Amino acid sequence: MATDPDNPPAEVLAALAAMGFKNTYSGGYTHKDRGKVLDLHFQKDGTDLFQGWKAEEMEANMAAITALFSGIGITITPRVMTLAEAYA
């Protein structure tokens, strides 16, 4: 998630934490328009191989994420990365 570092969405961050998502990366950068950006990465372990999500976990987690973000006007579009993309 990319957000304003001076005004992070505290309610959204708290909701993600309450759903079991852990912040795994936090770093700032300056966008090409010279605005400051805080880049946040989140992860939630599942019970499948390599802590992945089983189908029922994926459905529940994606429903919760979709509900959270749609409540603030953001549409979530999931994408599955290829191995080449994941290890680039």
Side-chain angles (χ1 to χ4, degrees), residues 42-53:
F42 296 88
Q43 178 176 320
K44 180 177 181 179
D45 292 341
T47 60
D48 206 359
L49 186 64
F50 303 113
Q51 299 177 330
W53 294 346

Side-chain angles (χ1 to χ4, degrees), residues 8-50:
E11 290 179 21
V12 172
L13 298 176
L16 286 170
M19 286 189 269
F21 285 88
K22 295 178 183 146
N23 183 220
T24 59
Y25 171 81
S26 178
Y29 65 92
T30 302
H31 190 268
K32 65 182 177 181
D33 69 2
R34 300 193 185 224
K36 292 181 181 178
V37 178
L38 176 61
D39 188 24
L40 302 169
H41 296 197
F42 296 88
Q43 178 176 320
K44 180 177 181 179
D45 292 341
T47 60
D48 206 359
L49 186 64
F50 303 113

Side-chain angles (χ1 to χ4, degrees), residues 43-80:
Q43 178 176 320
K44 180 177 181 179
D45 292 341
T47 60
D48 206 359
L49 186 64
F50 303 113
Q51 299 177 330
W53 294 346
K54 291 183 178 177
E56 58 274 5
E57 292 169 318
M58 188 267 311
E59 288 178 26
N61 288 328
M62 291 307 299
I65 290 168
T66 299
L68 172 64
F69 285 98
S70 67
I72 57 171
I74 297 172
T75 301
I76 300 297
T77 305
R79 160 174 103 75
V80 177

